[in-house]
Amino acid sequence: MKTILITAIYANLHGTDLGGRVSRHYWYRWSLISILKVNPTKVICFTSEEELEDLEQWFFEVQGVDRNQLEFKVFNLRESKFYNKIQRIKDVEYVKTWDRCVEIQYNKFFWYDLIDNVYDYDRIYWVDAGLSHGGLFPEEFRMGDKWEKDFLINLFTPELLDKWNKDTADKILVLAKNNKGRYFWANTIPEKYYHNYDRSQHIIGGVFGGTPKNYKRFARNFERQLWQLLVNEKELFMEEHIMTCMYFNEPENYNAYTFDDWYERDEWKGEDVDSKLFYHMFLNE
């Protein structure tokens, strides 16, 4: 089954009006090396013009990644869809200190339109480049004996991709975190956008996808919901907040892998708590 992954590496955004995480240059690179081990047909990684040459040298010449499998595409985030509208709402001084970039979050849906021959593929998924890291996966699943072992996780296998492909024949795959009680993680967009308000699950933006047709429909629905928010609200919402509303409004369109918490918490040890953790969704069971 021909599968394409979309991802992005923009590692120089912290302190700018775009916002972004600190010290992610090698985190994202080693993590993407790990993700490539699911053996997709193709990976398209969006990046900035200033980062392109160094990324290509590191992946292709140092790490020996096949150029036919990984392709970098330059995209200027200030040319993102709705950029001017976003800027009018954005608190720029706050964003300079923040570790998230809403333009990247929203482009997870808009970059679909920049993929050539997308219907040549059976499946298309967004995967965060930094998804493979030790904060989410216990030490028993890490590979190597140097510092990069924190980002090389042995659960990213072809069998994992096969599982995703099987479960997305007619639905979009999403990852849903328990958002109730002690597992509460995040609020959502205003209740008026819900058919029936429900925040019991929080959809995360690290992995989602399915057939090109369903991905396109998902992206168009996201765009419509985002535009309503940009027009009517004075707050910028994360893509996960919007996805959560979309999920509850049309649950029949999604296949959700669910989990309770990101990792085992020391403060709960000894309690009668049987939590399904994030990494459990990646086990070959």
Side-chain angles (χ1 to χ4, degrees), residues 6 81 109-116 216 219-220 223:
I6 310 174
K81 189 174 290 188
F109 301 86
F110 302 147
W111 279 326
Y112 170 92
D113 293 319
L114 302 183
I115 305 301
D116 296 331
K216 180 178 181 179
R220 295 296 179 262
E223 181 176 349

Side-chain angles (χ1 to χ4, degrees), residues 9-228:
I9 294 179
Y10 291 82
N12 298 325
L13 299 182
H14 187 76
T16 74
D17 63 314
L18 292 166
R21 300 187 187 276
V22 179
S23 302
R24 289 301 192 268
H25 288 79
Y26 285 100
W27 175 325
Y28 293 157
R29 294 181 187 198
W30 282 110
S31 174
L32 185 52
I33 288 290
S34 190
I35 292 167
L36 283 167
K37 295 186 184 300
V38 303
N39 197 29
T41 310
K42 187 82 172 181
V43 176
I44 302 293
C45 182
F46 288 89
T47 191
S48 65
E49 185 172 4
E50 66 181 358
E51 294 172 88
L52 177 64
E53 183 177 353
D54 190 47
L55 284 172
E56 290 187 329
Q57 193 273 337
W58 191 86
F59 277 93
F60 301 139
E61 298 180 24
V62 176
Q63 299 301 322
V65 173
D66 187 345
R67 290 176 180 265
N68 292 318
Q69 186 183 43
L70 175 63
E71 176 184 349
F72 290 97
K73 278 184 175 289
V74 169
F75 183 86
N76 182 349
L77 291 173
R78 292 186 173 83
E79 295 179 359
S80 298
K81 189 174 290 188
F82 308 142
Y83 176 76
N84 290 333
K85 184 67 174 175
I86 292 168
Q87 286 296 106
R88 287 194 288 270
I89 301 173
K90 181 185 291 184
D91 181 344
V92 173
E93 292 308 308
Y94 171 73
V95 167
K96 288 179 181 179
T97 68
W98 198 34
D99 63 0
R100 302 298 298 272
C101 172
V102 296
E103 285 82 2
I104 291 178
Q105 292 175 32
Y106 299 162
N107 275 311
K108 294 179 181 182
F109 301 86
F110 302 147
W111 279 326
Y112 170 92
D113 293 319
L114 302 183
I115 305 301
D116 296 331
N117 305 315
V118 70
Y119 285 99
D120 289 347
Y121 296 91
D122 301 293
R123 298 289 188 274
I124 178 170
Y125 301 95
W126 170 270
V127 181
D128 282 0
L131 185 68
S132 177
H133 68 88
L136 294 175
F137 297 90
E139 190 166 356
E140 64 188 284
F141 300 110
R142 303 178 200 176
M143 299 181 290
D145 55 5
K146 298 181 180 179
W147 64 268
E148 61 265 23
K149 71 178 182 179
D150 288 336
F151 313 109
L152 296 176
I153 307 300
N154 64 16
L155 295 179
F156 288 89
T157 65
E159 289 75 22
L160 176 65
L161 187 58
D162 288 343
K163 178 183 176 183
W164 292 357
N165 289 343
K166 178 182 177 181
D167 291 339
T168 53
D170 58 355
K171 298 180 185 295
I172 286 287
L173 170 67
V174 293
L175 309 185
K177 186 192 177 301
N178 189 342
N179 205 39
K180 296 177 292 186
R182 73 192 306 166
Y183 296 115
F184 176 77
W185 179 251
N187 285 308
T188 181
I189 65 177
E191 184 174 345
K192 63 185 178 182
Y193 296 103
Y194 282 77
H195 298 163
N196 294 291
Y197 181 70
D198 192 338
R199 69 171 195 184
S200 61
Q201 298 283 345
H202 173 77
I203 305 302
I204 70 168
V207 175
F208 60 84
T211 66
K213 178 181 178 181
N214 284 338
Y215 195 111
K216 180 178 181 179
R217 182 179 64 188
F218 190 35
R220 295 296 179 262
N221 288 342
F222 179 90
E223 181 176 349
R224 284 191 288 270
Q225 184 66 80
L226 173 61
W227 178 248
Q228 286 185 324

Side-chain angles (χ1 to χ4, degrees), residues 171 195 245-256:
K171 298 180 185 295
H195 298 163
C245 178
M246 293 168 61
Y247 170 76
F248 280 112
N249 282 348
E250 295 182 318
E252 68 277 5
N253 292 334
Y254 303 95
N255 188 355

